[in-house]
Each structure stands twice: as structure tokens, then as C-alpha cells.
């Protein structure tokens, strides 16, 4: 049996090498223009710093002018020759976004990183909060893309461009307390997969980053009102924003479609590969060979999660 | 080879014990089925199937009072005993939705079927059209669920309940021209996976239906502005609304989380099983064994 598989493996690798689409691509960061929404704090700022360290020109878009100024100073202090422009705008306001993007000029790498989240049972969550998340995370992302597309197509060097979406592991699996947030992040994936097909001929490459829980001001805020069950289910494993910043820029450079951030994320990415594109024939082979195994793990995971719910939910109701 | 034959029953046995949530049967007979977007197309087909299976009451929610009345007549003509209530409301209006749901009374099976779609390259699509799809398909669904949840949780001794969300194959796979529509349908899946964890203790069970292209008034409208590439990729294989109606009701009765509608849909469902729940240990085994094959086929699809 082992002999059998050993024979098939190189055959599989060869076959996948030829069929993986879209083709692999490398997207340079140095001397290019990186535009980051939600770029004044947390993961957005970390991405900006990483891009600055690799020699890019940076534009940041966010709501608060004060936080943007601080971010700009902090980046300029760390990296000498970097050019940082800041634009205060709310992504829900298409006109404001368009003005900012036009001022920023042709874009090579667009990082749609902004996002808000509130972790609560849907039953207890205000409709306004749900609407807020949908408007900012989903509609806001679409506003940014529509405004930026003409300028990305207009980029000077006509080299490969990137549109990267900041998603979350909640965008790969729906979890207790995250119904509305997961809906917006799953939505980004649907958007990304279709966009990749529509924009590949313009040499524009889509990436989605699936971050786990990350130590950021955003998470601090959310933890205040998080239900107990969510805290138990998520555990306390957090990554640092700087790590996500590095992983994001590296993933964008290799033109990867799915960018997980740690081992667990990688496993979830393989399990949820679905019909999403995979440019690396090697990753494709791993996905094909281990898909079954990961589906099994995913089922084990459901077993564990539903066990926690069964244990904690009735207690809550007492 | 012999080893795998040996491992198979072991796998089946193991999965039998670990699949969560547990399997469940959800009866239709003598129960109250509430359907949004229930006046035409797939929604009406679901209503008719539910009536055929002896639902005691059918409630339809949609925007047009005229179409609702036509639907009510058509159902009552075909199935005498069923009681049909109609509620004109726009799902984007939370208060109107809440009012309708309260008037309708305790719901056993909620079918969130309403939806709009316009297929076009995102670059060419108007933002108002995108917003329309997001507001109706996504926010509208949240409105309906939030209005119905408290009443569904409050049902006393009425047995297992169901919340079924009408998605689409475009909610599993993304295709040229479907960016905004797919975004809304992918979103429904995130919602369903999370919500299932939140309401399982109330004996409420989520289902997602993934129809392929179906012959409905909605599709006719969309074909007018569909780009050529999308038409080619989608092909001309269309299913009838009545078939989807039957498949939906059957899937709800088995408490299935993912309800595909044809063979291709079944294959896509296995390929995109991801981390969604699977209650049937047999399906779970198929997913585990064939996941690799289907990922390979999915990659072939990208190549094509």
C-alpha cells in the first residue's frame, strides 16, 4: 500500500503542477504604493510598518485624524526615507473614500484591512450593531474596491498588483457569538473568489488573510462584552499584530490566495479550501492528499465545540 | 488496499459516535411554516410542498400584496385543509417584519428564502445595486431571524424547530459576475454555522439550501443584464422551482445542515464542507474519504 501511494504522489504533484490556476506570481513591495484601510492602529498599522521596512510608499485610510497622525509619526520615526500619506474618511462614505483614493494616486497594493466586530449571541445583539458590521466590513470593503479599481488599473509600472482582504478564522468557520461578524467575513471570501476571476486579466491578484485572535485595541474592546462560552471556546491563544503584519506582507508578495497565520490556521485553510484558487502546486497536493484527514479533524472539532455548548448553555439558563 | 477496506468500517463507527450536532427529524405535518419571499418562484414551490405534506398553517411574507393573494389562492385551491396567512412587508423594514411575525404566531419552521440578484462584473455594477443585494439578502435575513428567534425559543413543547436559509451554489463557489451576490450568500453560511451553535440548546436546527440555477421569475430578470462569460460558466442546466421546493422540504425534515439539489451540488457540498456541521455519520464518512478527490476536481474547475 505504501508503495502504491509513493508511486502516485509524484504523479499527482506533476499533474497539479500543470493544472493549478491561476498561475503563481510574485508581487514586489519595494518602491511601490501600498494603500491600507484601517491603517492607523492594530493589524493595519503593523502591515504599514512591515511594508515601510520593505521600501514601499504608504497611504493610510481611517476615521480618526489623530490616530492617523500618530501612526504616520511612528512609521516615519522607525523608517527614514518612507513617504506616508494619511486620509481621514469613513469607509461607509463612498464619496469620501473616492476623494482620498484619488488624492493618494495609482495603487499597487491595496490592503482592505478595516473592520469592526462585536461578539455576542445574535439574539442579544442589537440590529444596529449587526447593520454596523455589515455596512463597515462588507459594504465598506466594496466601496474601497470600487473606488480603487480604476487607480489600480492605472498603476505606473504595470507590474502585478494585489488586493488583499483582512479576514479572520471566523471567516472560515462560523462560531458562537460571531454570527454577524462571520457573515461579513464569509462574504469577503465570496467577493474575493469572484473578483479574482474578474481581475486576473488585469494582472491583479487577490489575497485573503485569515487571522486568529490578535492582540489589538479592537479585540480589547470586544472582550469586554464577550459571552462566557465564547471565551471558553476561543481559549487565550493570541498572536501579536506585528506577526500578522509580516505574514500578510509575505503572503501578498507570494501572491497567495489564502494566507493563514499559524499552524492551526493552515489546517483550517486546508479543510476549508473548498473551491478557492490555489496557485502553488505543492500546497495543492497537500490539500488533495490531506483533505480527508482535515475534514475528519473538522468533525472532531464540531464534536468538541458542541460538547462545550451542551455543558455550558444549560448552566447559563439556570 | 485491504487495509483501507478494514479501516472503513472503523471510520464509519468512529464517525457514528462523534458527529455533532446529533441527527434530528423535523416533522412538517400539522405545523406552522413561515416563508419569506413566499409569493413566487422557489418560495411558492416550498409553500406548496409544505401544504402537500400536511402543514397546518403556511405564512407567506413578501413585498407585493397582489402576488401574495395570488399565491394564497393557488395554494388553497390545490390543498383544501391548509390555512394560509399572508403578510406584505419589505424585509429591510425590521418593524414591519416583526409586526408580521408576531401576527403570524408561533413558528415551527422558518424558511428565509427571499433574495434578489443582479449578475454583473463588480467594476461595472452600481453601488446602489450592490447595497440593494446586501440589504435584502443579508441584513433582511438578519431582520427576519432576529424578529422570529424569541418567538421560536418560546414555543412550548412544540418539538424540534427549523430555520432554513435559501442560499445558492453561488454561496459555495464563486463565479465571474457574482461577486456581490456571492458575498451575500457566502455570508449566510457564516451566519448559519454560528447561529447553529447558539440555538442548538433550544432544539432549533439550521439548514442551508444550495440550489443551482433555477427557472424562476427572478432568474429571467437577472439574465437580462448577465455578462456573456457568466452565462457560459453557468451553463444552461436549469432546475425547476417545484424540484427545489421538494428537495428543500425533504432536507428540512432530515434536519440536514447542507442541502444540495443535484449531483453537481452534492459534489460541491462535499468539496466545500470545510468546518460546517454534518449530522449524518454516513455523509461524514463520504466527506472524509472523498474530500481529497473533490479538492482535486475543484482545482480542475479552476483550470477550466
Amino acid at each position: 500500500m505504501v508503495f502504491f501511494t509513493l508511486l502516485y504522489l509524484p504523479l499527482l504533484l506533476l499533474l497539479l503542477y500543470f493544472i493549478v490556476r491561476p498561475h503563481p506570481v510574485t508581487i514586489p513591495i519595494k518602491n511601490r504604493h501600498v494603500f491600507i484601510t484601517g491603517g492607523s492602529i492594530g493589524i493595519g498599522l503593523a502591515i504599514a510598518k512591515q511594508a515601510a521596512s520593505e521600501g514601499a510608499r504608504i497611504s493610510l485610510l481611517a476615521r480618526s485624524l489623530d490616530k492617523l497622525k500618530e501612526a504616520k509619526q511612528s512609521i516615519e520615526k522607525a523608517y527614514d526615507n518612507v513617504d506616508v500619506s494619511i486620509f481621514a474618511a469613513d469607509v461607509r462614505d463612498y464619496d469620501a473614500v473616492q476623494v482620498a483614493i484619488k488624492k493618494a494616486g495609482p495603487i499597487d497594493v491595496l490592503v482592505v484591512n478595516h473592520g469592526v466586530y462585536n461578539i455576542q449571541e445574535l439574539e442579544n445583539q442589537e440590529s444596529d450593531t449587526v447593520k454596523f458590521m455589515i455596512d463597515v466590513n462588507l459594504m465598506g470593503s466594496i466601496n474601497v474596491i470600487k473606488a480603487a479599481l480604476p487607480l489600480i488599473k492605472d498603476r505606473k509600472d504595470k507590474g502585478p498588483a494585489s488586493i488583499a482582504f483582512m479576514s479572520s478564522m471566523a471567516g472560515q468557520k462560523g462560531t458562537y457569538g460571531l454570527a454577524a461578524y462571520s457573515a461579513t467575513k464569509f462574504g469577503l471570501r465570496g467577493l474575493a473568489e469572484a473578483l479574482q476571476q474578474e481581475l486576473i486579466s488585469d494582472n491583479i491578484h487577490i489575497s485573503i488573510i485569515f487571522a486568529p485572535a490578535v492582540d489589538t485595541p479592537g479585540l480589547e474592546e470586544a472582550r469586554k462584552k464577550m459571552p462566557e462560552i465564547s471565551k471558553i471556546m476561543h481559549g487565550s491563544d493570541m498572536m501579536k499584530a506585528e506577526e500578522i503584519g509580516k505574514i500578510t506582507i509575505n503572503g501578498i508578495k507570494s501572491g497567495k490566495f489564502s494566507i493563514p497565520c499559524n499552524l492551526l490556521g493552515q489546517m483550517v485553510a486546508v479543510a476549508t479550501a473548498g473551491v478557492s484558487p490555489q496557485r502553488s502546486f505543492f500546497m495543492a497536493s497537500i490539500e488533495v492528499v490531506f483533505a480527508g484527514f482535515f475534514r475528519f479533524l473538522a468533525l472532531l472539532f464540531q464534536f468538541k465545540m458542541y460538547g462545550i455548548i451542551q455543558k455550558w448553555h444549560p448552566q447559563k439558563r439556570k | 488496499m485491504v487495509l483501507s477496506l478494514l479501516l472503513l468500517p472503523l471510520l464509519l463507527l468512529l464517525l457514528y459516535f462523534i458527529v455533532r450536532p446529533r441527527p434530528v427529524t423535523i416533522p412538517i405535518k400539522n405545523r406552522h411554516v413561515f416563508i419569506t419571499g413566499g409569493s413566487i418562484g422557489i418560495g411558492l414551490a416550498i409553500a406548496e410542498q409544505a401544504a402537500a405534506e400536511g402543514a397546518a398553517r403556511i405564512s407567506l411574507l413578501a413585498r407585493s400584496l397582489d402576488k401574495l393573494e395570488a399565491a394564497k389562492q393557488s395554494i388553497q385551491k390545490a390543498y383544501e385543509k391548509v390555512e394560509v396567512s399572508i403578510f406584505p412587508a419589505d424585509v429591510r423594514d425590521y418593524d414591519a417584519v416583526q409586526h408580521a411575525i408576531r401576527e403570524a404566531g408561533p413558528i415551527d419552521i422558518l424558511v428565509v428564502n427571499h433574495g434578489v440578484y443582479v449578475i454583473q462584473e463588480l467594476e461595472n455594477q452600481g453601488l446602489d445595486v450592490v447595497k440593494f443585494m446586501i440589504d435584502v439578502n443579508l441584513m433582511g435575513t438578519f431582520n427576519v431571524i432576529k424578529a422570529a428567534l424569541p418567538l421560536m425559543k418560546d414555543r412550548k413543547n412544540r418539538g424540534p424547530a427549523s430555520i432554513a436559509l435559501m442560499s445558492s451554489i453561488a454561496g459555495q463557489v464563486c463565479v465571474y459576475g457574482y461577486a456581490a451576490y456571492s458575498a451575500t450568500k457566502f455570508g449566510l453560511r457564516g451566519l448559519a454555522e454560528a447561529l447553529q451553535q447558539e440555538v442548538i440548546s433550544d432544539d432549533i436546527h439550521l439548514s442551508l439550501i444550495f440550489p443551482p440555477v433555477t427557472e424562476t421569475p427572478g432568474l429571467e430578470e437577472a439574465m437580462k443584464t448577465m455578462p456573456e462569460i457568466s452565462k457560459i460558466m453557468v451553463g444552461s442546466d436549469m432546475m425547476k422551482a417545484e424540484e427545489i421546493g421538494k428537495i428543500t422540504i425533504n432536507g428540512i425534515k432530515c434536519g440536514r445542515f447542507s442541502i444540495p439539489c443535484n449531483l453537481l451540488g452534492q459534489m460541491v457540498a462535499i468539496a466545500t464542507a470545510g468546518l460546517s456541521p454534518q449530522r449524518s455519520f454516513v455523509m461524514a464518512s463520504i466527506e472524509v474519504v472523498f474530500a481529497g478527490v473533490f479538492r482535486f476536481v475543484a482545482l480542475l474547475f479552476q483550470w477550466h
Side-chain angles (χ1 to χ4, degrees):
Chain A
M1 182 171 118
V2 183
F3 183 66
F4 226 40
T5 355
L6 281 180
L7 212 72
Y8 272 132
L9 219 57
L11 220 78
L12 179 69
L13 273 153
L14 196 68
L15 190 58
L16 284 172
Y17 178 73
F18 283 109
I19 76 168
V20 287
R21 291 287 184 281
H23 284 298
V25 72
T26 314
I27 299 175
I29 296 287
K30 194 175 163 86
N31 292 331
R32 304 186 88 208
H33 180 204
V34 180
F35 190 106
I36 305 167
T37 67
S40 62
I41 56 174
I43 294 178
L45 180 55
I47 295 174
K49 288 182 170 166
Q50 185 62 32
S53 79
E54 305 209 13
R57 166 162 95 85
I58 313 280
S59 291
L60 308 177
L61 184 141
R63 282 171 297 173
S64 153
L65 189 56
D66 287 337
K67 294 199 181 125
L68 281 167
K69 285 184 182 158
E70 266 183 58
K72 177 176 155 102
Q73 279 178 12
S74 130
I75 301 175
E76 284 172 344
K77 209 162 88 169
Y79 305 102
D80 278 329
N81 287 328
V82 69
D83 177 357
V84 182
S85 315
I86 58 177
F87 304 94
D90 188 322
V91 293
R92 292 172 289 176
D93 180 348
Y94 178 74
D95 294 326
V97 168
Q98 196 181 41
V99 164
I101 284 186
K102 282 189 172 157
K103 268 204 205 139
I107 298 172
D108 301 301
V109 177
L110 175 69
V111 186
V112 185
N113 157 81
H114 71 267
V116 288
Y117 52 92
N118 180 277
I119 307 179
Q120 214 177 0
E121 290 95 345
L122 185 61
E123 194 187 356
N124 303 329
Q125 199 164 55
E126 296 287 331
S127 278
D128 286 342
T129 311
V130 174
K131 192 172 194 318
F132 182 51
M133 280 189 270
I134 292 178
D135 283 347
V136 173
N137 298 357
L138 198 50
M139 197 62 214
S141 297
I142 294 178
N143 283 345
V144 171
I145 292 171
K146 299 253 313 143
L149 262 180
L151 277 102
I152 299 179
K153 291 192 170 188
D154 223 9
R155 61 200 185 281
K156 295 182 180 62
D157 58 11
K158 302 298 175 197
S162 162
I163 299 179
F165 294 93
M166 185 57 57
S167 179
S168 159
M169 283 177 75
Q172 299 171 295
K173 54 180 174 63
T175 328
Y176 192 106
L178 282 160
Y181 182 68
S182 282
T184 66
K185 292 305 187 179
F186 266 69
L188 282 189
R189 179 167 161 174
L191 183 64
E193 288 191 15
L195 268 183
Q196 181 64 95
Q197 295 190 8
E198 292 175 20
L199 300 176
I200 189 75
S201 323
D202 293 285
N203 205 5
I204 300 175
H205 308 276
I206 312 284
S207 295
I208 317 184
I209 303 97
F210 294 109
V214 184
D215 204 355
T216 63
L219 183 61
E220 254 183 73
E221 196 52 44
R223 285 195 100 93
K224 293 178 187 166
K225 299 201 256 149
M226 217 190 260
E228 273 311 303
I229 296 194
S230 294
K231 288 191 185 152
I232 299 170
M233 287 173 111
H234 296 162
S236 47
D237 237 333
M238 279 197 289
M239 288 184 75
K240 297 240 162 258
E242 292 73 39
E243 299 179 89
I244 309 298
K246 283 201 179 73
I247 291 166
T248 300
I249 292 293
N250 283 340
I252 289 175
K253 279 166 32 181
S254 21
K256 270 201 212 163
F257 183 81
S258 294
I259 304 174
C261 299
N262 56 15
L263 181 59
L264 179 64
Q266 184 68 273
M267 287 163 57
V268 174
V270 174
T272 58
V275 195
S276 62
Q278 177 53 261
R279 314 180 86 129
S280 148
F281 77 97
F282 181 66
M283 262 321 291
S285 322
I286 295 192
E287 285 170 0
V288 170
V289 171
F290 290 99
F293 177 63
F294 284 119
R295 178 57 179 159
F296 183 74
L297 286 183
L299 293 164
L300 266 173
F301 173 76
Q302 296 292 338
F303 175 70
K304 178 176 170 202
M305 289 297 127
Y306 279 92
I308 293 178
I309 292 167
Q310 203 174 3
K311 183 173 163 203
W312 288 90
H313 220 277
Q315 277 196 12
K316 215 177 58 135
R317 314 192 99 222
K318 284 181 195 151
Chain B
M1 276 289 269
V2 182
L3 205 65
S4 13
L5 282 178
L6 216 72
L7 282 174
L8 215 59
L10 218 78
L11 179 68
L12 275 153
L13 196 69
L14 190 59
L15 285 173
Y16 177 73
F17 283 109
I18 76 168
V19 286
R20 290 284 185 282
R22 290 232 147 274
V24 72
T25 315
I26 300 175
I28 299 285
K29 197 175 162 86
N30 293 330
R31 302 185 90 206
H32 177 202
V33 182
F34 190 106
I35 305 168
T36 68
S39 61
I40 56 174
I42 294 179
L44 179 54
I46 295 174
E48 289 178 335
Q49 186 63 30
E53 302 217 12
R57 284 181 56 210
I58 304 212
S59 296
L60 307 175
L61 184 144
R63 282 170 296 174
S64 153
L65 187 56
D66 287 338
K67 295 200 181 122
L68 281 168
E69 280 174 355
K72 176 174 161 135
Q73 281 178 13
S74 131
I75 301 173
Q76 285 181 321
K77 208 162 88 170
Y79 307 100
E80 278 162 1
K81 291 197 191 132
V82 72
E83 186 187 321
V84 181
S85 315
I86 56 177
F87 303 95
D90 188 320
V91 293
R92 291 172 289 177
D93 180 350
Y94 181 73
D95 293 327
V97 169
Q98 193 180 45
H99 185 78
I101 285 186
R102 284 195 176 148
E103 249 191 84
I107 298 171
D108 299 303
I109 291 149
L110 176 69
V111 185
V112 188
N113 156 83
H114 72 267
V116 289
Y117 53 94
V118 180
I119 312 304
Q120 214 177 2
E121 291 94 344
L122 186 65
E123 197 181 355
N124 302 330
Q125 197 161 60
L127 276 171
D128 49 352
V129 174
V130 174
K131 193 172 191 321
F132 180 50
M133 279 190 273
I134 292 180
D135 283 346
V136 173
N137 299 357
L138 203 49
M139 194 62 213
T141 298
F142 275 105
N143 284 343
V144 172
I145 292 177
K146 282 187 64 63
L149 256 184
L151 282 106
M152 287 181 85
K153 287 192 168 194
D154 249 355
R155 69 196 192 286
K156 296 170 177 48
N157 303 321
R158 292 170 66 97
S162 162
I163 297 179
L165 307 181
M166 186 60 58
S167 178
S168 162
I169 257 184
Q172 299 168 295
V173 181
C174 223
V175 172
Y176 190 106
Y178 282 76
Y181 180 67
S182 282
T184 67
K185 292 306 186 177
F186 266 68
L188 286 190
R189 178 162 162 176
L191 166 58
E193 285 188 12
L195 192 60
Q196 178 66 93
Q197 295 190 0
E198 290 174 23
V199 300
I200 187 77
S201 316
D202 296 283
D203 207 8
I204 301 176
H205 308 277
L206 272 290
S207 293
L208 275 167
I209 304 101
F210 298 106
V213 180
T214 309
E215 222 177 285
T216 63
L219 179 65
E220 258 183 70
E221 197 52 43
M223 298 282 281
K224 294 177 186 164
T225 48
M226 212 187 265
E228 273 314 301
I229 298 190
S230 301
K231 283 188 188 160
I232 297 170
M233 286 180 100
V234 160
S236 50
D237 236 333
M238 282 196 289
M239 288 185 76
K240 297 229 167 270
E242 293 75 37
E243 298 178 271
I244 309 297
K246 283 201 177 78
I247 292 166
T248 300
I249 291 293
N250 282 339
I252 289 175
K253 279 165 34 183
C254 314
R256 270 202 218 131
F257 184 80
S258 294
I259 304 175
C261 298
N262 56 12
L263 181 61
L264 176 67
Q266 183 67 271
M267 287 164 55
V268 173
I270 293 176
T272 58
L275 262 84
S276 60
Q278 178 53 261
R279 313 179 89 131
S280 147
F281 76 99
V282 173
M283 264 320 291
S285 319
I286 294 183
E287 285 170 359
V288 170
V289 172
F290 288 100
V293 175
F294 285 120
R295 177 56 179 155
F296 184 74
V297 174
L299 291 164
L300 268 173
F301 170 77
Q302 294 289 338
W303 175 68
H304 188 256

